[in-house]
Amino acid sequence: MSRRAHIAMVSIPAHGHVNPSLELIRELVSRGHRVTYANDASFAEVVSSTGAELVPYRSTLPRPGEPWPEDTAAQLDVFLDDAISMLPQLRAAYEHDRPDLFLYDIGCSTARILAENWGLPCVQLSPASVAWEGYEQDMAPLMEWLRTDPGAVAHHRRYTEWLASCGVAQPDSLGFVGRPPRGLVLIPRALQPHEDRVDRQRFTFVGPCFGDRSGQGSWQRPPGAQKVVLVSLGSAFTQQPAFYRACLAAFGGLPGWHVVLQIGKNLRPDELGAIPANVEVHPWVPQLAVLEQADAFVTHAGMGGSQEGLACGVPMIAVPQASDQFANADQLVALGVARRLDTEQATPEALRSALLQLTEDPQVATRLAALRKQSREEGSAARAADVLEAEFLSETRAAAR
């Protein structure tokens, strides 16, 4: 049994951080809970579609199309500056409307600060892999960079000092972000490195929370298309005309294959040259609807696309572009269901060879079938909501408070 509670979700205005939580938010609202969702006003429509109430704050993160610094430490500072700006806004918004539970994205340490200040429970929602026991030793090059790079050292000193000034009990910036008191991991266990060494008292894997996406539109496999390959680098890495031309050269006219090419909103099809007859080009496609009918997927290996590929049982050619995509690509390769081609390696010959090898290997098909079954069985918004209600919103807990 659970009671109607006020649950506050806090996230940043980035689709890769917002989208993974939307079905859980919708599920909590459907169970009668009041859910407020703190985010930039630019995400008002996305938030309202779940039934949650938007609590607007002004984010300082770069808007779509605005430049980010190239230096990694400077990028971290961008997120820290946003958190510092966000905290007083959230404190004012929730001071007289305190929730029973804070949920927060990995990019929103502000929610955990408020929870600690006010003695409230909080749960981190992770749309990416989490730290495991021995992480620091296994990631020695990264940890060495954090300890020695002047920009990284300055960043974490400033972060730690800010946490201390906010009254956080253990203001170590790395531990504060990477070791939450409680966390739900919104990815398949198969995509978590060293999954067997993740602290199950701290983290619970609830898998990807897919929901009804009919509102995004549909896609139908063309008559006569024997096999379909989807090519998509998501929404943030689409300024890649040379890569798209390589895909056209690799797959255009390939017997039996139909190609769905998503190029984003900033490129025009005529910039790619002649489009082969077996290729359709779009600025955007309903990705999951295509993958459910596809036979292969050329992806940048973002976590969203990677888990959608596994859920649909589709072999992948991973062409990572940034951040965790390189690790995701390596994890997919380790699972035996993908080939990794970095951008400079993604020649027409390499792309075509990878496609044919992956789709003609029966062992790849067997592994994909098992992973597809595992992914669909472990993930659901209902399971995630059950965990939250059992641990934080039960009648017993309510009575004790």
Side-chain angles (χ1 to χ4, degrees):
M1 294 292 294
S2 64
R3 64 188 178 93
R4 173 177 163 82
H6 175 195
I7 303 167
M9 174 68 197
V10 183
S11 189
I12 59 176
H15 286 286
H17 290 259
V18 172
N19 292 349
S21 69
L22 293 179
E23 289 308 312
L24 172 56
I25 300 305
R26 187 173 286 111
E27 176 70 18
L28 291 168
V29 170
S30 74
R31 296 186 181 200
H33 300 297
R34 177 191 171 215
V35 182
T36 56
Y37 200 125
N39 209 318
D40 188 85
S42 60
F43 272 69
E45 185 176 347
V46 174
V47 169
S48 64
S49 72
T50 67
E53 308 166 27
L54 177 71
V55 172
Y57 69 83
R58 186 182 182 280
S59 174
T60 63
L61 295 178
R63 301 282 167 167
E66 295 180 351
W68 281 75
E70 295 187 6
D71 178 71
T72 303
Q75 293 172 5
L76 295 175
D77 281 334
V78 169
F79 284 104
L80 177 56
D81 290 339
D82 188 56
I84 292 172
S85 170
M86 188 194 308
L87 182 59
Q89 298 180 72
L90 295 190
R91 192 182 296 278
Y94 285 108
E95 179 70 53
H96 302 294
D97 187 22
R98 297 187 183 185
D100 299 283
L101 171 67
F102 271 114
L103 304 179
Y104 67 99
D105 176 75
I106 54 175
C108 288
S109 56
T110 45
R112 183 176 170 186
I113 292 171
L114 289 181
E116 287 200 15
N117 288 170
W118 293 340
L120 300 174
C122 62
V123 178
Q124 182 192 80
L125 302 183
S126 178
S129 58
V130 295
W132 55 88
E133 298 306 312
Y135 175 88
E136 291 78 6
Q137 292 74 30
D138 292 339
M139 304 295 287
L142 172 62
M143 303 309 294
E144 180 66 15
W145 177 80
L146 291 172
R147 286 192 295 266
T148 59
D149 179 83
V153 171
H155 166 80
H156 288 290
R157 180 186 302 116
R158 187 163 73 99
Y159 202 150
T160 296
E161 290 173 351
W162 176 60
L163 290 175
S165 72
C166 294
V168 171
Q170 297 179 329
D172 168 66
S173 60
L174 290 176
F176 190 81
V177 175
R179 308 281 185 181
R182 192 70 176 89
L184 298 185
V185 190
L186 308 179
I187 68 172
R189 287 183 291 111
L191 288 176
Q192 168 66 48
H194 305 292
E195 180 264 336
D196 59 322
R197 287 156 54 190
V198 173
D199 180 0
R200 289 305 199 275
Q201 299 301 311
R202 188 187 305 272
F203 295 111
T204 298
F205 285 84
V206 294
C209 299
F210 298 138
D212 178 16
R213 298 193 187 178
S214 58
Q216 296 182 353
S218 61
W219 182 85
Q220 290 298 319
R221 189 183 185 112
Q226 297 175 27
K227 294 183 178 180
V228 171
V229 57
L230 169 64
V231 179
S232 172
L233 298 181
S235 58
F237 304 97
T238 57
Q239 297 280 24
Q240 305 277 356
F243 169 73
Y244 297 133
R245 285 193 288 267
C247 289
L248 292 178
F251 310 134
L254 192 62
W257 282 91
H258 181 80
V259 184
V260 181
L261 182 63
Q262 176 182 293
I263 63 172
K265 300 177 180 179
N266 298 316
L267 285 179
R268 300 188 314 275
D270 60 16
E271 296 179 67
L272 305 181
I275 306 299
N278 68 324
V279 177
E280 57 180 272
V281 181
H282 303 278
W284 181 88
V285 296
Q287 182 163 285
L288 194 58
V290 179
L291 286 176
E292 288 172 342
Q293 304 173 64
D295 300 278
F297 183 22
V298 181
T299 172
H300 63 307
M303 185 57 77
S306 297
Q307 60 191 10
E308 288 176 358
L310 287 184
C312 293
V314 181
M316 287 168 268
I317 300 173
V319 188
Q321 301 295 305
S323 59
D324 66 341
Q325 296 160 21
F326 297 97
N328 293 341
D330 289 341
Q331 187 70 9
L332 290 169
V333 171
L335 291 171
V337 298
R339 299 285 186 275
R340 172 176 165 176
L341 295 175
D342 291 348
T343 302
E344 62 275 11
Q345 301 170 329
T347 63
E349 295 75 19
L351 288 163
R352 186 184 308 113
S353 176
L355 177 75
L356 297 177
Q357 288 177 15
L358 284 166
T359 56
E360 294 173 1
D361 188 338
Q363 293 184 350
V364 171
T366 299
R367 285 189 287 267
L368 279 166
L371 289 166
R372 180 179 186 272
K373 182 175 183 292
Q374 176 182 308
S375 175
R376 298 205 169 202
E377 287 177 348
E378 73 178 353
S380 74
R383 179 168 177 240
D386 287 345
V387 172
L388 294 175
E389 287 189 334
E391 292 191 27
F392 300 101
L393 306 173
S394 67
E395 291 289 351
T396 302
R397 180 178 178 87
R401 292 173 58 190

